[in-house]
Amino acid sequence: MMFRRTLLGAAGAALATAFTVTTAMAQDVTLRLHQFLPPQANVPKLVLDVWADSVEEDSGGRIKVERYPSMQLGGTPPELMDQAIDGVADVVWTVVGYTPGRYPSTEVFELPFMVDDARAASSAYWQMFEKHMKDTEFKDVHILGTWVHGPGLIHANKEVRSPDDMQGMKIRGGSRLVNRLLEVTGATPVGMPVPAIPEGLSKGVIDGTTIPWEVTASLKVPELVKNHTEFDGALYTLTFVLAMNKDRYEGLPDDLKKVIDDNSGLEFSIFAGGTQADSDGPARQAAVDAGNNIVTLNAEETAVWRDAAQPIYDEWVADMQDKGIDGQALIDEAKSLMDAYQQ
């Protein structure tokens, strides 16, 4: 498996050489990996490049992964899933919430204060994907990984401590449920993909944004706003997928399918979510070093936000029921799986 490697001994090296010779005449495969962040951002650098490098290595060079950051193949971030389905790209990494309502079951991990550990949630997400989503909501693509980021928080041009401070503020939200959370706490939500945040802040289109710490450095957010509000727990998380064109996957020879399979799934999902969460600390320290104002709300102060957000749960369960999905059962299952992971 991708993240439990042992060094090849002499016998293994000999086998690898033999594999290279016997497959030299096999047709090489080039996969185009498309995503919306610049290449130096944490996810491309620490997750997607690791995945791509491992696929190339494990295939003995038969698979080449071309990396296209910052939407270099064209289109906008909300179009990435359709690009994977239509074959514009072979593999895409995207925020599921960029296509609101299209993959409703994933939203269970985007409910306010639902997640407090990215590894636990990413593990639960993959297990629930295989059980509930693989052959339904995601039937048109081949999913390679499912994960969430570390705690989402508020970065703003003024200090925010309570929902009262949000009144009249224009805050960027990353998904349908985050936008609803902003509404119930008094702000005006502004939907925009992550790459648009710096311009939105610099031009005053938005007064603040909701993103986790790890992506703030690549977007220069601590230079554009000086206030950051953390919570006792995660205000929210967003869901991600690494998705592959289904025909492209199914058209691979069995040995190369195995390479893709061995670098995908539960273990990769946990690695990806954990890696994003682990990147929060250095990014937060950069804001500290810049002298920014970091507000860390305690449990009592956070409870005010939790109470304000509670109606979103009832709304979501009712919305899922209208779609023929038992939302409360998904909430209970997600909590149970996350608890089991952390025990």
Side-chain angles (χ1 to χ4, degrees), residues 106-222:
T106 65
E107 291 183 336
V108 68
F109 297 102
E110 298 183 352
L111 289 164
F113 300 105
M114 179 70 176
V115 170
D116 61 12
D117 182 283
R119 287 179 172 86
S122 299
S123 173
Y125 183 8
W126 179 264
Q127 293 175 73
M128 293 175 67
F129 156 74
E130 288 201 303
K131 182 177 179 181
H132 302 292
M133 311 171 206
K134 181 177 182 178
D135 299 319
T136 54
E137 295 168 29
F138 288 104
K139 66 182 185 300
D140 294 328
V141 287
H142 182 78
I143 297 295
L144 306 172
T146 60
W147 67 93
V148 305
H149 57 60
L153 62 150
I154 297 169
H155 313 265
N157 59 14
K158 73 170 190 177
E159 183 176 275
V160 172
R161 287 188 170 272
S162 75
D164 289 341
D165 297 325
M166 299 279 278
Q167 305 301 313
M169 295 186 72
K170 297 171 292 184
I171 307 291
R172 175 264 177 188
S175 72
R176 185 178 76 93
L177 287 186
V178 176
N179 286 342
R180 182 66 185 125
L181 172 63
L182 294 171
E183 286 179 343
V184 301
T185 54
T188 299
V190 179
M192 64 173 61
V194 164
I197 290 173
E199 183 178 6
L201 289 172
S202 64
K203 292 187 175 181
V205 175
I206 52 176
D207 301 308
T209 184
T210 55
I211 48 173
W213 275 118
E214 61 91 9
V215 77
T216 55
S218 63
L219 299 176
K220 303 187 183 303
V221 169

Side-chain angles (χ1 to χ4, degrees), residues 1 15 48 63 70-71 86 99 116 175 184 201 221 256 336:
M1 291 289 294
L15 283 172
L48 302 181
I63 297 178
S70 304
M71 301 304 298
D86 298 338
T99 51
D116 61 12
S175 72
V184 301
L201 289 172
V221 169
L256 294 188
S336 176

Side-chain angles (χ1 to χ4, degrees), residues 36 73 110 130 133 174 200 204 217 255-256 269 297 299 320 323 339:
F36 58 85
L73 291 180
E110 298 183 352
E130 288 201 303
M133 311 171 206
D255 60 335
L256 294 188
S269 298
L297 302 181
M320 291 302 102
K323 299 178 187 299
D339 288 344

Side-chain angles (χ1 to χ4, degrees), residues 260-324:
I260 298 296
D261 294 344
D262 287 349
N263 287 281
S264 307
L266 178 63
E267 190 174 339
F268 169 65
S269 298
I270 295 169
F271 159 79
T275 298
Q276 278 200 249
D278 291 346
S279 299
D280 285 341
R284 183 185 190 277
Q285 187 59 47
V288 171
D289 294 343
N292 287 11
N293 176 38
I294 299 178
V295 175
T296 302
L297 302 181
N298 61 29
E300 183 178 354
E301 292 168 320
T302 299
V304 177
W305 293 78
R306 289 179 182 269
D307 290 345
Q310 186 56 44
I312 296 174
Y313 278 76
D314 298 332
E315 294 171 3
W316 187 76
V317 169
D319 185 37
M320 291 302 102
Q321 184 175 355
D322 290 341
K323 299 178 187 299

Side-chain angles (χ1 to χ4, degrees), residues 79-92:
E79 295 172 331
L80 280 165
M81 283 301 292
D82 282 326
Q83 289 186 355
I85 293 169
D86 298 338
V88 173
D90 301 303
V91 181
V92 303

